[in-house]
Amino acid sequence: MIFLTFIITLLHEIISFGFSKTSFKKNRREFFKKGLDIGAISVVIATNAKAIDNARDIELEVVDVKINNLTQPYSIVQLSDIHIGGLIDKEFINSLVKKVNILNPDVIVITGDLVDTKLAFAKAALDELKNLNSKFGTYFIVGNHEYFHGVKPIIDYVNSLGIKTLENENVYIGPKDNGFYLCGVYDRFGNRYGAYKPDINKALENTNTHPTVLLAHQPKFIEEIENTVGIDLILCGHTHGGQIFPFNFLVKLQQPYVRGLNTHNEFTQVYVNKGTGFWGPPMRLGASSEITFLKLSS
């Protein structure tokens, strides 16, 4: 709130300085100045209120993705960066699960930063995820925040809910010879953590005969892949789409992709989910929370 107020105040001061340099009479300048002051206060209140409201409202993003050699269509619901803890609680997850189940997807994936508190405090909310329904199951990869709160206990507990954590491994989705490989890697933060490091070669083992979808928390991980031939689609999160304008420009300095569907090269596309929850302040401006419904077809 302080940051948004500062930005609006800065604009107010620039415009006010401009008025002071006009040839208007003093009383007219004072009239415009008073109107500008009232307008700035109104914008501050409206912007902060809208940002708080945006954080509570999850939008559905429907995305069509063409995958080479895919023999039949599939639907994937992607959730990311839920950040269970604080205001992201059991009730939030209960409501989220109901929204996802209405979509009746073939597969559900959660691309990291699911838990952002001690596991003991997150269990009640996590338990709601047992109610997720899809044809071929729910799959999870860790994000950087899982490393802060005990990556191994979180993986074990998520697995106990009937959700499969992909730990530098892959699973085959669909009927034999008519499906695709779903692969997942640990987050690149594992390289700094000293354990649970991403291993793309291990994750892609024996996948070269079918279309492949890779789950990687950070879009920047693509820079660590020497050759993306054989990876048709990468699903990421982490960026929150910037969450609060104008942080999206700062995120772009650190990540190659910030949001949406991007063509990386002739072989590979990258989709970046803006985050289903939020991190830090319960506010979003210029980057809505999202549930992604990906429709894969040839």
Side-chain angles (χ1 to χ4, degrees), residues 18-19 47 51 72 112 152 169 171 184 205 215 218 230-231 276-277 282 298:
F19 274 136
T47 301
Q72 66 182 58
K152 182 61 166 63
E169 59 186 317
V171 295
E205 278 183 356
L215 309 182
Q218 299 189 44
I231 306 174
T276 310
S298 59

Side-chain angles (χ1 to χ4, degrees), residues 88-102:
I88 307 294
D89 55 11
K90 178 179 178 180
E91 286 71 28
F92 182 98
I93 302 300
N94 177 271
S95 175
L96 176 62
V97 168
K98 290 177 180 177
K99 292 174 182 176
V100 171
N101 287 344
I102 290 172

Side-chain angles (χ1 to χ4, degrees), residues 132-258:
L132 285 170
N133 295 321
S134 63
K135 187 174 182 179
F136 297 108
T138 302
Y139 299 88
F140 168 66
I141 58 166
V142 297
N144 56 304
H145 279 253
E146 273 77 29
Y147 291 83
F148 306 148
H149 302 289
V151 61
K152 182 61 166 63
I154 290 172
I155 289 173
D156 289 343
Y157 195 78
V158 169
N159 285 342
S160 76
L161 302 173
I163 298 172
K164 168 65 177 173
T165 304
L166 295 176
E167 303 179 68
N168 293 332
E169 59 186 317
N170 62 74
V171 295
Y172 189 76
I173 303 295
K176 184 179 179 181
D177 297 327
N178 286 299
F180 64 94
Y181 281 101
L182 183 67
C183 314
V185 290
Y186 292 123
D187 184 56
R188 60 195 302 271
F189 187 82
N191 295 321
R192 294 170 57 188
Y193 186 76
Y196 302 98
K197 302 177 183 180
D199 185 336
I200 187 62
N201 293 324
K202 187 178 178 183
L204 294 176
E205 278 183 356
N206 304 314
T207 63
N208 56 358
T209 57
H210 291 83
T212 299
V213 176
L214 173 67
L215 309 182
H217 178 63
Q218 299 189 44
K220 196 173 180 68
F221 181 69
I222 199 169
E223 297 175 357
E224 301 175 22
I225 305 174
E226 291 184 9
N227 191 341
T228 66
V229 175
I231 306 174
D232 296 280
L233 176 65
I234 304 177
L235 301 181
C236 306
H238 185 66
T239 69
H240 294 224
Q243 187 163 320
I244 300 175
F245 177 85
F247 286 114
N248 53 307
F249 296 111
L250 298 179
V251 173
K252 183 62 177 174
L253 297 176
Q254 206 267 336
Q255 297 288 337
Y257 305 111
V258 178

Side-chain angles (χ1 to χ4, degrees), residues 32-174:
F32 282 123
K33 177 65 167 58
K34 188 173 292 183
L36 182 63
D37 293 345
I38 294 171
I41 293 170
S42 300
V43 171
V44 166
I45 294 170
T47 301
N48 281 284
K50 179 60 176 174
I52 293 170
D53 183 65
N54 286 345
R56 294 198 302 254
D57 183 31
I58 305 175
E59 295 187 358
L60 177 65
E61 299 282 354
V62 180
V63 184
D64 292 304
V65 184
K66 298 295 183 181
I67 302 290
N68 291 331
N69 302 317
L70 191 67
T71 58
Q72 66 182 58
Y74 288 89
S75 60
I76 300 176
V77 163
Q78 181 191 6
L79 308 175
S80 193
D81 300 271
I82 297 173
H83 290 281
I84 291 173
L87 297 176
I88 307 294
D89 55 11
K90 178 179 178 180
E91 286 71 28
F92 182 98
I93 302 300
N94 177 271
S95 175
L96 176 62
V97 168
K98 290 177 180 177
K99 292 174 182 176
V100 171
N101 287 344
I102 290 172
L103 299 172
N104 192 30
D106 292 318
V107 184
I108 299 170
V109 299
I110 305 172
T111 49
D113 284 3
L114 173 62
V115 177
D116 204 2
T117 185
K118 290 183 178 180
L119 179 58
F121 301 143
K123 285 183 176 179
L126 285 171
D127 287 345
E128 293 296 317
L129 296 175
K130 290 188 293 188
N131 298 316
L132 285 170
N133 295 321
S134 63
K135 187 174 182 179
F136 297 108
T138 302
Y139 299 88
F140 168 66
I141 58 166
V142 297
N144 56 304
H145 279 253
E146 273 77 29
Y147 291 83
F148 306 148
H149 302 289
V151 61
K152 182 61 166 63
I154 290 172
I155 289 173
D156 289 343
Y157 195 78
V158 169
N159 285 342
S160 76
L161 302 173
I163 298 172
K164 168 65 177 173
T165 304
L166 295 176
E167 303 179 68
N168 293 332
E169 59 186 317
N170 62 74
V171 295
Y172 189 76
I173 303 295

